[in-house]
Amino acid sequence: MIKITLPDGSIREYEGVVVTGTQIAESIGAGLAKAALAVTVDGVQRDLSDPIKADAKVSIITVDSPEGLEIMRHTVAAQVLARAVKNLYPSAKLAIGPTIEDGFYYDVAFQEPISSDDLEKIEKEMRKIIETHASISKSINSKADTIAAFKERGEDYKVKIVEESEQKDGFQLYAQGDTGFVDLCRGPHVPTLKHIGAFKLTKLAGAYWRGDSNNEMLTRIYGTAWKNDKDLKEYLHRMEEAEKRDHRKIGKEMDLFHMQGEAPGQVFWHDGGWTIFKELEGYIRGKLRRHNYQEVNTPRLINKDLYIKSGHWGKFGENGIFTSNAYEHEHALKPMNCPCHVEIFKNDGKSYRDLPIRMSEFGNCFRQEARGALHGLMRVTSMTQDDAHIFCTVEQIEQEVILLNDLIAEIYAELGFESYFVRFSDRPDARVGSDEIWDAAENGLKKACEAAGVDVVMNPGEGAFYGPKLEYVLKDCIGREWQCGTIQLDFNQPNRLGAFYVDVDGEKKHPVMIHRALLGSLERFIGILIEHYAGHLPLWLAPTQIVVSGIVEDHNPHVEKAYKRLKDAGFRVKADLRNEKINYKIREHMHAKVAMVGVIGEKEAAEDTITIRRLGAEGQKTYKMDEFIAMCHEEVKTKALPLSHQKDKQAA
RNA sequence: GCUGUCGUAGCUCAGUGGUAGAGCACUCCCUUGGUAAGGGAGAGGCCGGGAGUUCAAUCCUCCUCGACAGCACCA
């Protein structure tokens, strides 16, 4: 007799010494039995066919739960895609095929390279396989048998995986009916191919075996899978919509910036984009003033000896740092501002009374990124960091980290980012400084995080070469993660570069250095901002805040008057005096994501009003000129979020 | 950097082994129209760069530069 406790707390009893998920599902109801994909037994996912030999808490997994969807996706990858590939390309060797957010992939070594045109062919084969409704069965095998099975099939990668596994026994092989196809898998899988929903292969890309660039590159086939066609369509539509928010596309539509081959990874800022840049910079300057920072500016081209001393050269060397020969010395285009700030710190004697010193710079840095890594504004070779270095004592670290975390949270909230997360990256393999120093730095940062109440996601081995760091991560339109703000603890550089202060006891001591960036790089942050708002920026950031236009040319004198008043009131305003219909102009300016179009017609001219059409709103609204100006001032001052990001949307 | 795809007018894109096409934008003319495209005409391209194959290359091959996706990298 086995007692099974179901999620609702009810207990069912089953005769015999074993029971399976299938039996449990059947005993509950025919509908559930049909829908069941797998079971959770005492918190562990198992196949429906797995014997349950003792009392347990069991829940039946269907495709309606996130777990069920993931199991189904996994089956699409490991059973359907893998088998389709083997059917079409018998010489292909299978590596791994996990699920990812919204889908799955499979890494395959093809003898002949395949192209994205082949995806259609593979998809067709997959549909054929699913049509067979084959049942999936599992066998449990010894290590030796498993290796033998894959050796026989020429699956070199599977052999490697099993050989190098720490697991001694109990390798699960999943087969499809009597097709001869087997795959190694942790499971569980859906019981039959009838349970596969809607799927689509999405893209093809290279990926290194085991994620190591020293290894050979395999072909990764990506796909997405959903419980039905409707969900699949919705997903594809969502992705399409998301891609429209791409900052490179919107940057063009709004005439913000461009990039070109003569300067890879560098930005030609147009007037509009540079307006955003300057506004953000000004906004951050305001924060710096209130938080008692000094602002400095340091050279771009610096004798590389400084970077040898600081440790940068050893870490990034010729591949990461641009160099130039000037005055018979090799110079580096500065990759980071920190050594320069240390030099300012060192320029006169410092006392413990001076600390903390918060030294900021909108520092223009250059980094020779791997070509394939460049990505619009998000990953550039020349960037402007809203950088600062806080020179302080060990005792001051905690307080400073709390202040910084609060400041970043405040800024992200004001800019309309409700969701971001923080990664804690600790010591990397390539680093400077002793383990004792690293222990101290990591513990210091951890303690400070706790004190500041920051929830962190650990990110082992990804710290800076000089110290551990917090990374404030934002996502772009299609969910890619980008590090923006950062707080890094550095016990190394001040020592290497010989920075001292005189402590209360008269002893010379090295200060601790906290590297920090709030937005990260202005370039990347603007990219994120554009995607976050799909170009519908808050009024204070909008490159063009108002375009004023008449209905007919006769109104142009009034339009120019209104234009002048708005301009004198301090707004970024343009007058559209062209001989075009108002529909045409509205359309054009809305496409260019102008925040507001103000229309002056006969009525408005007579009554000293302006009729406003807002970006993202349906209708229009007429205001007294004075009221309109006051309203805009208020909106800029309060940094109000645009309509699309306000809870109660209203027209104008 | 690696794998794959791509590069044609200012933009978005079609196309062919015999030196090229559309829509939008631009210029001019007509139109004076109340909230997402009024009509007409015109101008505009070394088909990313270099080499090769060919009687002939935008098209085929190789190299190179750049872009896109993913991987790796990421101070």
Side-chain angles (χ1 to χ4, degrees), chain A residues 4-12:
Chain A
I4 296 298
T5 310
L6 295 170
D8 65 359
S10 65
I11 295 174
R12 281 171 184 260

Side-chain angles (χ1 to χ4, degrees), chain A residues 307 312 336-343 387 389 391 466 490 493 497 513 515:
Chain A
Y307 288 100
H312 289 88
M336 290 178 92
N337 305 300
C338 27
C340 293
H341 291 186
V342 175
E343 294 308 309
D387 200 7
H389 295 92
F391 298 91
Y466 45 73
D490 182 358
Q493 280 194 73
L497 296 173
M513 207 169 158
H515 305 235

Side-chain angles (χ1 to χ4, degrees), chain A residues 94-242:
Chain A
L94 302 171
I96 56 163
T99 56
I100 49 174
E101 194 176 353
D102 298 333
F104 57 88
Y105 67 77
Y106 215 112
D107 284 350
V108 184
F110 286 98
Q111 214 151 49
E112 300 289 325
I114 65 165
S115 78
S116 41
D117 298 336
D118 295 301
L119 288 185
E120 214 172 302
K121 208 165 79 185
I122 298 172
E123 231 180 77
K124 222 183 214 168
E125 183 68 18
M126 288 170 74
R127 293 190 201 291
K128 255 169 68 188
I129 291 169
I130 290 172
E131 278 307 301
T132 67
H133 290 179
S135 60
I136 297 172
S137 59
K138 178 170 78 170
S139 62
I140 301 196
N141 303 273
S142 69
K143 194 164 198 163
D145 288 350
T146 310
I147 290 172
F150 284 123
K151 272 203 171 142
E152 188 195 320
R153 291 175 163 81
E155 295 289 5
D156 303 345
Y157 293 98
K158 299 289 181 190
V159 172
K160 268 190 228 178
I161 291 168
V162 179
E163 276 178 348
E164 290 166 27
S165 166
E166 285 174 14
Q167 197 178 320
K168 296 223 163 20
D169 238 324
F171 288 90
Q172 303 194 97
L173 291 182
Y174 285 83
Q176 274 174 49
D178 53 4
T179 60
F181 174 84
V182 293
D183 193 24
L184 176 72
C185 193
R186 209 169 270 134
H189 273 304
V190 302
T192 79
L193 297 184
K194 267 187 233 169
H195 293 84
I196 302 291
F199 71 93
K200 183 173 165 52
L201 298 183
T202 49
K203 60 194 170 197
L204 206 58
Y208 298 109
W209 165 239
R210 297 213 155 125
D212 183 340
S213 59
N214 295 315
N215 290 340
E216 68 271 30
M217 183 159 270
L218 309 173
T219 303
R220 178 169 295 179
I221 300 171
Y222 283 92
T224 184
W226 299 84
K227 75 174 174 186
N228 54 35
D229 280 327
K230 184 170 153 276
D231 284 11
L232 174 65
K233 268 197 192 126
E234 268 172 25
Y235 167 77
L236 294 172
H237 180 71
R238 215 162 51 237
M239 289 316 285
E240 252 171 60
E241 288 301 307

